[in-house]
């Protein structure tokens, strides 16, 4: 629909650009809830969430003159929660001419509203004049490549050493965080496991620092990065046998591992 927020159904459209075909899902619009339309808006929101679950990359289109609305902020949090790649388009940039709008001001405002957007590509376009429209699909391809990037354990740990040499792991309560190694365990989105002596010794700011280091080192633009911390595995000390014949059971106990601390999943904020 040409009127913002009035599309009610997610519409699938196949588009060919160059030698690639893309499936575009035009999501249902989400507007402010009015009592007489509350049920309709609720189902539109549900359909938008369903469309997000089907997508690999989400393109959030905003009006350059209005900036981010409350409804778009809700969608932004849905995008972050869904762990999808994201591209931001500021449409109608042609209308800002002579209005005192500056790109850097628009970027700063939206990054403050949604911190995740700091890491998402942003393109200022005009559907009317075709300004920068040709940059959209190359940006999509770049995000898709980042989503599917897999880094070898050796390369990851060379980068990790550089990060640790620049900023040493923190000391909490007289105990220093010891980092053993890092490995990538999944893609779409990229997920990493960091093996440490105790996840409780890794401060939130240091986690963010490590994620940002990964992002800068391997060009993870427009994609969420997930970092899981795993504590050191200990061997359980077996209880003394009550009788010599009980010794085989003690031997079995000795082989049962336990985890120092609960595993912790860290998302970007």
């Amino acid at each position: 629909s040409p009127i913002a927020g009035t599309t009610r159904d997610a519409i699938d459209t196949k588009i060919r650009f160059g030698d690639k075909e893309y499936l575009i899902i035009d999501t249902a619009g989400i507007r402010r809830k009015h009592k007489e339309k509350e049920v309709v808006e609720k189902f539109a929101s549900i359909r938008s969430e369903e469309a997000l679950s089907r997508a690999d990359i989400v393109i959030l289109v905003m009006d350059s003159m209005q900036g981010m609305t409350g409804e778009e902020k809700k969608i932004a949090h849905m995008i972050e929660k869904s762990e999808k790649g994201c591209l931001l388009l500021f449409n109608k940039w042609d209308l800002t001419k002579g209005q005192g709008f500056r790109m850097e001001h628009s970027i700063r405002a939206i990054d403050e509203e949604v911190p995740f957007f700091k890491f998402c590509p942003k393109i200022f376009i005009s559907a009317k004049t075709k300004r920068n429209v040709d940059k959209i699909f190359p940006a999509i391809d770049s995000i898709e490549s980042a989503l599917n990037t897999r880094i070898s354990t050796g390369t990851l740990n060379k980068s990790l050493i550089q990060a640790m040499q620049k900023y040493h792991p923190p000391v909490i309560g007289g105990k220093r965080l010891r980092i053993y190694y890092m490995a990538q365990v999944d893609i779409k989105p990229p997920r990493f496991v960091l093996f440490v002596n105790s996840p409780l010794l890794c401060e939130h700011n240091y986690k963010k620092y490590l994620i940002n280091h990964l992002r800068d080192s391997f060009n993870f633009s427009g994609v969420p990065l997930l970092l899981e911390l795993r504590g050191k595995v200990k061997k359980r000390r077996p209880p003394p046998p009550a009788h010599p014949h009980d010794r085989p059971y003690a031997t079995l106990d000795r082989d049962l591992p336990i985890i120092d601390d609960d595993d912790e999943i860290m998302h970007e904020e």
Side-chain angles (χ1 to χ4, degrees):
S1 171
I3 304 175
T6 58
T7 301
R8 288 292 169 265
D9 297 307
I11 303 170
D12 291 5
T13 305
K14 290 184 178 180
I15 296 178
R16 179 168 290 278
F17 184 83
D19 59 351
K20 293 183 66 174
E21 187 174 78
Y22 303 80
L23 177 63
I24 307 297
I25 307 171
D26 189 4
T27 62
I30 302 177
R31 300 186 306 176
R32 293 181 178 86
K33 291 183 178 180
H34 300 288
K35 288 184 179 180
E36 66 274 13
K37 299 180 180 179
E38 186 172 345
V39 175
V40 176
E41 297 295 339
K42 180 178 179 180
F43 281 106
S45 178
I46 292 173
R47 284 195 290 269
S48 291
E49 292 182 8
E50 292 174 348
L52 280 176
S53 69
R54 295 172 54 206
D56 296 311
I57 299 169
V58 181
I59 303 174
L60 181 58
V61 184
M62 292 169 286
D63 190 319
S64 296
M65 298 290 289
Q66 295 182 2
M68 176 172 279
T69 64
E71 288 67 43
E72 287 163 346
K73 190 172 182 179
K74 293 177 184 177
I75 297 175
H77 291 305
M78 289 167 59
I79 295 171
E80 185 175 10
K81 184 179 179 181
S82 66
E83 300 177 353
K84 304 293 183 177
C86 183
L87 171 64
L88 304 179
L89 299 183
F90 293 80
N91 193 22
K92 302 181 182 179
W93 190 249
D94 55 302
L95 300 181
T96 65
K97 187 175 181 179
Q99 301 294 322
F101 285 82
R102 298 179 64 88
M103 291 184 185
E104 56 267 30
H105 295 163
S106 299
I107 291 173
R108 187 182 306 117
I110 197 170
D111 287 349
E112 289 176 354
E113 288 279 352
V114 184
F116 169 65
F117 284 167
K118 293 179 182 178
F119 315 110
C120 297
K122 303 171 182 67
I123 305 177
F124 291 80
I125 69 169
S126 170
K128 182 178 180 180
T129 66
K130 308 304 180 186
R131 169 195 169 97
N132 287 339
V133 171
D134 59 329
K135 296 181 180 180
I136 296 175
F137 285 99
I140 292 173
D141 291 343
S142 178
I143 295 172
E144 181 190 26
S145 177
L147 282 169
N148 289 282
T149 294
R150 191 178 291 276
I151 305 167
S152 69
T153 301
T155 301
L156 264 180
N157 285 281
K158 287 180 182 178
S159 178
L160 179 61
I161 291 173
Q162 294 174 356
M164 293 169 60
Q165 288 175 340
K166 188 174 182 179
Y167 292 106
H168 296 293
V171 176
I172 299 179
K175 295 182 179 180
R176 180 178 294 279
L177 172 70
R178 295 179 62 188
I179 298 176
Y180 301 121
Y181 71 97
M182 179 185 289
Q184 184 174 357
V185 295
D186 207 354
I187 57 174
K188 297 182 67 175
R191 184 186 297 267
F192 303 88
V193 175
L194 186 66
F195 294 88
V196 300
N197 57 336
S198 172
L200 297 178
L201 296 176
C202 189
E203 295 178 329
H204 181 70
N205 287 340
Y206 199 73
K207 295 176 187 176
K208 290 176 63 177
Y209 163 68
L210 292 177
I211 284 183
N212 290 338
H213 179 82
L214 285 174
R215 189 178 295 283
D216 294 338
S217 299
F218 302 105
N219 194 29
F220 284 117
S221 177
V223 303
L225 297 182
L226 308 182
L227 180 63
E228 177 182 345
L229 302 180
R230 290 190 184 174
K232 184 178 179 181
V233 176
K234 277 187 177 180
K235 297 286 187 175
R236 187 190 301 274
R237 179 177 297 177
H243 189 275
H245 296 294
D246 293 334
R247 188 171 298 279
Y249 295 96
T251 302
L252 289 177
D253 280 347
R254 191 179 298 119
D255 295 329
L256 296 177
I258 60 172
I259 302 297
D260 281 352
D261 303 280
D262 293 334
D263 287 356
E264 175 183 346
I265 298 287
M266 199 284 293
H267 295 258
E268 293 173 86
E269 293 184 0

